[in-house]
Amino acid sequence: MHTVHSDPPYARVAVDTLEAIRAPRAPKLFVVSGPSSMELASVLGELGANDRGYGAEALGAVPETVRISFANSSPKFQLSDWLVRRATSGGKQRTVLLLEHLQHLPPDELCALEAAIRRLDGTNTRCVCTVTLPLPRASRAAFAAVFGRLRRDGLVHHVNLRPLSRHRLRDMIAAEIEAGAEPALVSWLWRLTRGWPAAARSVLRAAREEGVIRVVDRHAYLVGGDSCTLPFTIGELVLPVHETDGPAWEVAKAVAVLGPLGEAVPALTAEAVAASEPEVRGLLARLAEAGVLRHRRSDSGWEYRLPLAGAAVRASLGPYERRSLARIAVSALWRGTARCADPAYLPEQLAAAGRLVDPERARAELLDATKQLAHRNGDNAYDDHRGVRWLRAVAALTSDPVERARLLLEHAKICLAQGRPEEALDSLRLLHRAHRDHLRPDQLLDVCFAHLAALYRAGELTALEEIAADGRLQHPGPDGPLERAVTRGCALLLLGRWQEVRDLLGAVRWHDESGLVEWKAEFLAATAELWLGSTEGAERSMATLPARHRAGGATAAEVHCRVGELLALGEIRRAGQLLADTGRSLRQLGLPSRMLIALHRGRPREALDLARRSAITGVHTCDAVQSEMYHHAAVLLVYGGRLNRAGELLALARARQPMLPHLLASAQAMRELVYREVDRAEDLLSAAVRRAESDGVVAGTDLLWLRVADAALHAGRPEAVQECLAKVEGVARRLGTERAEMIRLVLHATVHTDHGAARAARRLAQQRQQPLEEGAVLYQLIRSGMGDAAMLWETYALLGELDELMPRFWLRLQMREHGVAVPGRQATAEENERLLAVLVSEGLTNKRIAKVLRTSEKSVEGRLSRLFSRTGHGSRVELAMAMLTGRLHL
């Protein structure tokens, strides 16, 4: 992709000011006012950077700049005389005086400044001043009078900084991190910064460094949703007060936590800082006059004018300091001397206070708040991460060791479901270390399996390899020989060593009175055998699953696992039925499974969004269902012309040790075929076939052999499709899935020119009611000469509904080749233009675009010139930026 360079937030203000300073009849005084020193410092930084590419050559260099700050106190000399001496001492040399924090000047010095500005007439000196708003109450009248007179006489040019709108903030994010921002990220950043550019830029940089913002497929996501807190500091410029401010700093810290508690804030703050209430009220008034705080009339609470400043102050609190303030808040709310309308405020303070308040009452209320959050959010109960944080606090407050063990296990399972394996490992290690004796045998085995899953998802594969070797956990776990065999089997399964799982568990002689360990072993063996092409065990498990689930004998994890397996095999209807029979909802599934359902139901945009959200979690590995997800997500991107984005997503998936690497190779080969790199595609596919056969893997090879056949046709070797058909016939017999049978019919029709098989494939595709799959089947049949004009038009319309630019383009070539009219001449021209814009935004050269579009470089150059002319974008970079921010509508 083209690198999209982002202008600093106030580059335009700086350039305009420098142009005005350079003008021969310009005012002598330039005033920039804004809400914080951070914003004003950003402007001054740009004014001092006129040699960094913001029109310096055109403006001319400023020979001398003198910088004076009034931040601490007024100068101990006559400002007017000093300015005039400074201005006249340089002769004809042009001088700019930067006067910072002018709001600190008392009224008499303001009048002296006015006199000095009037005496600068006829010199080459200009003054640039910054004023932080709001002005001190004592100086407001003087400022109004002085600047009113200067404005009347044309001696002052005033720029009052303005925040960005939400729309422009979204564009700024896109330019800054070269990725489109999800709505939750824009809302979060707006809530913190109110749209002030310099503050927003600082947050973006810090959040990316801390992993709070992650970018996948050129989309930026906020990890933890829009309830995400600020777990990092962002620099001194954000802090409105500092430790050197003494009592004011202490009050500011207290208000960062206690501010929402209405009329009780002064008294509670006085308790926190060990001062009298009148003293605190005076300090609150000072902070409000300085523009740090604001008193809310609606509930008499106190808040930071810039929410980011409050978040930064909270982040600066030490652990005990934070707990102590939380204790004060909780005690006041429990006594009834304070109120807060935010239902999340008390739970947050309970979680922070820990055992500084009554632990039993705190535990009960926090657990109740967690349940209420779950009820309000339904299946998304823990999406905002607050519920998980509260649940861990409940476990810490619980005195009953059995209940604490149960809560820690529940916390770990939720963290695993959320893609936060490191947090899950923390809870599981605590369970092993301190609560092993309080776990029932079935819970101990659950802990063992959860621990292995957390190690896998955290990418700790070396530890998993060690467990797979001897069945012993790093912490004490189930220690019988049967339990160790199952532990080894689970580790091997997670490592994708399915043949070893089958051999290991098949050799064990079970003598398990409870049946629990044997059932776990059967579950693992059935999963391993399924990927190896034997479905009997998985079918038995799924047949009894609804009844066992209703009787409480099957966990939600088992249901979700079986549903994921069906989805990975393309069995969408059976997966939906299993969900219905077990009373589970779609929203309770993991993101990869939800992605596959959205895909098969013909919702490609939702599917891609779910794939990206899955990719940004803390999971560092790629299981079988995720392998299927990444494969289909990459295919969707290729279909949309997003060729480089598809390559980047596949590279991400490959780095996560995929369980089914042949699926990723299939998608990569498709991308190479679009580039007309047939030899490269065939090499990829040959390696994938060898790997799958070596591992004994059958699952997903129906898609692989279909891609091999596609590459053979591109290479002009139709005879090779016969071998692909034979392979797919074997896959279809072993798996018995509809998808494998449908692919078999397509290849049979291709090899034998069998119109009956083509009709059967088409009929099965329609019955499966998966629009994306149906479009792919129809296109394959048309390429094989199985389609008439009616099928061409039907397929073209279907692909249009799915917004698949590349297949529509290929189909137009087929239609012209068969003498079939392409409907909608104007719409076709617009779609071609949109495809060209997409390919340009992907960073493809003209030569590569010509290969993709099967035309000449000269033709591409002409079409690009027309596109630039029509859209008003003069370069590839501008066009890419417009595509990124959604401002280009074609």
Side-chain angles (χ1 to χ4, degrees):
M1 178 184 175
H2 299 289
T3 301
V4 180
H5 296 287
S6 160
D7 282 343
Y10 294 113
R12 187 70 257 166
V13 171
V15 168
D16 290 347
T17 302
L18 288 171
E19 286 177 341
I21 289 172
R22 184 173 178 270
R25 301 178 62 83
K28 298 300 178 182
L29 178 63
F30 296 83
V31 178
V32 182
S33 60
S36 71
S37 58
M38 177 178 240
E39 304 302 317
L40 295 171
S42 180
V43 174
L44 291 185
E46 293 312 315
L47 284 172
N50 66 329
D51 60 343
R52 291 203 311 240
Y54 301 111
E57 294 78 5
L59 295 172
V62 177
E64 185 177 10
T65 299
V66 179
R67 195 165 188 158
I68 304 170
S69 174
F70 303 101
N72 297 318
S73 62
S74 188
K76 303 299 183 184
F77 49 79
Q78 290 295 319
L79 178 63
S80 176
D81 292 341
W82 185 89
L83 283 176
V84 173
R85 287 198 306 272
R86 186 74 194 178
T88 55
S89 64
K92 294 184 178 181
Q93 184 182 38
R94 190 153 48 90
T95 303
V96 172
L97 305 176
L98 295 181
L99 308 180
E100 298 180 71
H101 306 293
L102 214 62
Q103 73 276 4
H104 292 297
L105 285 182
D108 58 335
E109 289 285 0
L110 277 173
C111 294
L113 174 65
E114 178 186 8
I117 295 301
R118 294 183 182 280
R119 293 171 65 186
L120 293 179
D121 195 29
T123 71
N124 283 330
T125 298
R126 305 285 188 271
C127 281
V128 177
C129 306
T130 67
V131 178
T132 303
L133 302 177
L135 291 167
R137 192 182 302 275
S139 304
R140 289 175 190 170
F143 266 91
V146 167
F147 285 96
R149 291 191 295 268
L150 290 172
R151 187 179 299 108
R152 180 197 62 200
D153 296 337
L155 294 175
V156 65
H157 175 81
H158 179 208
V159 176
N160 188 31
L161 302 181
R162 292 281 186 264
L164 302 173
S165 66
R166 283 178 184 260
H167 181 78
R168 291 188 61 202
L169 179 64
R170 185 198 66 190
D171 289 353
M172 191 206 86
I173 297 171
E176 184 71 18
I177 60 181
E178 299 183 20
E182 64 151 342
L185 171 55
V186 178
S187 297
W188 176 75
L189 193 59
W190 173 268
R191 196 163 56 246
L192 279 175
T193 68
R194 295 293 186 260
W196 288 104
R201 206 176 196 209
S202 290
V203 173
L204 283 174
R205 288 175 175 172
R208 287 205 72 183
E209 289 173 2
E210 295 288 330
V212 175
I213 295 174
R214 295 179 189 162
V215 177
V216 172
D217 184 33
R218 299 178 197 167
H219 285 70
Y221 290 88
L222 182 68
V223 178
D226 59 7
S227 66
C228 177
T229 56
L230 192 72
F232 49 85
T233 56
I234 58 171
E236 286 291 306
L237 278 176
V238 173
L239 296 177
V241 286
H242 303 82
E243 289 186 45
T244 54
D245 295 317
W249 169 243
E250 297 302 318
V251 168
K253 288 193 293 183
V255 171
V257 175
L258 304 174
L261 295 178
E263 295 176 350
V265 170
L268 296 176
T269 302
E271 179 186 348
V273 302
S276 69
E277 190 172 333
E279 288 176 318
V280 167
R281 289 186 182 275
L283 289 167
L284 288 171
R286 275 179 51 194
L287 289 167
E289 185 171 324
V292 176
L293 299 179
R294 175 164 46 208
H295 184 246
R296 287 198 307 261
R297 294 184 179 180
S298 59
D299 62 356
S300 298
W302 288 81
E303 65 184 4
Y304 279 77
R305 282 183 176 271
L306 184 68
L308 174 62
V313 172
R314 278 192 298 277
S316 74
L317 296 172
Y320 183 75
E321 201 170 25
R322 178 68 183 90
R323 293 178 67 201
S324 297
L325 290 170
R327 176 191 61 79
I328 291 171
V330 170
S331 300
L333 289 166
W334 279 355
R335 289 194 309 264
T337 56
R339 295 186 180 87
C340 181
D342 181 2
Y345 180 79
L346 177 57
E348 287 288 346
Q349 304 317 310
L350 288 168
R355 291 182 172 270
L356 291 184
V357 296
D358 178 359
E360 185 54 35
R361 181 176 178 180
R363 183 200 67 79
E365 292 193 12
L366 200 50
L367 186 58
D368 183 61
T370 304
K371 292 176 180 177
Q372 289 183 27
L373 181 67
H375 178 72
R376 284 196 303 271
N377 293 347
D379 297 331
N380 301 320
Y382 299 103
D383 277 1
D384 62 8
H385 290 195
R386 288 180 300 180
V388 180
R389 194 164 61 245
W390 299 349
L391 188 63
R392 181 60 192 263
V394 170
L397 291 166
T398 300
S399 56
D400 180 356
V402 175
E403 176 65 5
R404 182 182 294 178
R406 186 192 68 79
L407 290 168
L408 286 170
L409 180 55
E410 183 180 350
H411 175 265
K413 288 180 177 179
I414 293 169
C415 286
L416 281 174
Q418 277 194 349
R420 299 161 70 183
E422 286 85 0
E423 292 178 57
L425 279 172
D426 286 343
S427 287
L428 292 165
R429 284 167 176 156
L430 178 58
L431 262 174
H432 280 296
R433 186 171 62 251
H435 301 287
R436 183 179 188 276
D437 294 339
H438 303 116
L439 294 168
R440 301 188 309 271
D442 61 315
Q443 287 181 315
L444 191 57
L445 210 51
D446 272 353
V447 170
C448 170
F449 274 42
H451 190 196
L452 294 173
L455 286 173
Y456 171 72
R457 295 179 188 179
E460 297 190 20
L461 301 185
T462 301
L464 207 57
E465 293 275 5
E466 293 173 359
I467 296 167
D470 61 13
R472 296 183 185 276
L473 296 174
Q474 297 162 319
H475 301 283
D479 51 10
L482 299 183
E483 288 85 353
R484 282 203 300 274
V486 170
T487 300
R488 279 194 66 202
C490 183
L492 289 167
L493 186 80
L494 290 168
L495 291 167
R497 291 156 59 179
W498 296 312
Q499 294 183 91
E500 293 179 63
V501 176
R502 180 189 59 195
D503 297 342
L504 169 69
L505 299 180
V508 173
R509 295 295 175 262
W510 301 103
H511 304 285
D512 175 26
E513 293 181 4
S514 69
L516 177 64
V517 179
E518 186 173 357
W519 172 81
K520 293 281 189 184
E522 289 176 356
F523 176 83
L524 296 173
T527 300
E529 289 168 357
L530 180 64
W531 304 128
L532 296 172
S534 177
T535 63
E536 291 82 359
E539 290 292 347
R540 283 196 305 272
S541 172
M542 284 185 273
T544 61
L545 194 53
R548 287 191 291 112
H549 187 266
R550 286 192 294 271
T555 64
E558 183 184 356
V559 174
H560 295 170
C561 181
R562 294 298 182 221
V563 168
E565 290 164 0
L566 288 170
L567 291 170
L569 296 173
E571 296 293 272
I572 176 70
R573 290 190 290 183
R574 291 189 62 195
Q577 189 61 54
L578 185 58
L579 276 178
D581 290 344
T582 53
R584 308 298 294 175
S585 77
L586 171 63
R587 300 290 298 183
Q588 291 172 311
L589 294 174
L591 290 170
S593 292
R594 287 166 56 189
M595 181 275 182
L596 293 173
I597 289 175
L599 172 86
H600 294 316
R601 290 180 177 174
R603 301 196 297 267
R605 289 190 180 183
E606 179 186 344
L608 278 174
D609 181 61
L610 290 167
R612 296 184 199 109
R613 290 181 186 279
S614 175
I616 65 154
T617 63
V619 176
H620 302 290
T621 46
C622 179
D623 63 22
V625 182
Q626 288 169 317
S627 299
E628 183 87 3
M629 176 195 76
Y630 281 118
H631 165 267
H632 286 295
V635 168
L636 282 177
L637 289 171
V638 170
Y639 281 170
R642 311 290 185 180
L643 303 176
N644 283 346
R645 282 167 51 177
E648 291 163 4
L649 190 65
L650 289 170
L652 171 68
R654 283 195 298 272
R656 295 183 174 185
Q657 304 292 320
M659 281 190 180
L660 299 177
H662 58 275
L663 288 175
L664 306 185
S666 173
Q668 181 69 27
M670 179 187 185
R671 177 175 175 268
E672 297 299 333
L673 290 174
V674 174
Y675 284 135
R676 303 175 76 180
E677 299 287 348
V678 180
D679 290 344
R680 170 67 178 152
E682 292 199 308
D683 288 344
L684 285 167
L685 293 168
S686 296
V689 167
R690 288 193 298 272
R691 172 71 183 274
E693 291 179 342
S694 171
D695 294 342
V697 177
V698 174
T701 56
D702 49 349
L703 294 173
L704 176 62
W705 286 111
L706 179 63
R707 190 74 63 222
V708 172
D710 189 28
L713 292 174
H714 274 82
R717 294 186 295 102
E719 69 282 357
V721 181
Q722 177 69 57
E723 180 190 356
C724 300
L725 172 59
K727 294 290 187 179
V728 170
E729 286 173 340
V731 175
R733 279 194 303 271
R734 296 180 68 179
L735 293 179
T737 61
E738 289 182 341
R739 187 179 72 189
E741 173 61 14
M742 185 175 61
I743 291 173
R744 185 195 71 79
L745 289 168
V746 169
L747 293 183
H748 185 89
T750 300
V751 170
H752 301 290
T753 319
D754 186 339
H755 289 272
R759 286 192 296 271
R762 185 177 179 184
R763 191 162 50 246
L764 182 53
Q766 290 170 340
Q767 289 170 359
R768 283 167 61 78
Q769 297 180 335
Q770 299 176 29
L772 288 158
E773 182 182 80
E774 184 181 353
V777 167
L778 291 173
Y779 178 71
Q780 289 287 344
L781 293 173
I782 289 167
R783 281 191 64 202
S784 303
M786 298 285 115
D788 55 16
M791 184 189 287
L792 284 163
W793 285 325
E794 177 188 344
T795 307
Y796 191 69
L798 176 62
L799 296 175
E801 293 171 6
L802 299 172
D803 198 32
E804 295 189 347
L805 294 177
M806 289 304 308
R808 290 255 296 182
F809 169 75
W810 298 329
L811 198 55
R812 283 195 292 273
L813 298 179
Q814 292 279 335
M815 293 169 85
R816 294 188 182 106
E817 186 178 321
H818 290 82
V820 177
V822 178
R825 182 175 179 180
Q826 180 60 33
T828 298
E830 292 173 356
E831 189 169 311
N832 282 332
E833 200 170 59
R834 185 153 66 96
L835 176 57
L836 178 62
V838 168
L839 296 174
V840 169
S841 71
E842 288 291 286
L844 271 64
T845 63
N846 286 1
K847 183 177 181 179
R848 201 141 212 200
I849 292 174
K851 289 188 74 172
V852 171
L853 299 182
R854 304 176 193 182
T855 187
S856 66
E857 287 187 59
K858 187 173 182 180
S859 173
V860 170
E861 290 172 6
R863 290 167 63 180
L864 269 178
S865 296
R866 291 190 292 274
L867 178 62
F868 290 147
S869 176
R870 197 179 75 76
T871 61
H873 298 294
S875 69
R876 290 170 177 263
V877 172
E878 287 183 19
L879 188 67
M881 188 63 196
M883 293 286 288
L884 186 64
T885 58
R887 288 185 283 108
L888 184 63
H889 301 287
L890 294 171

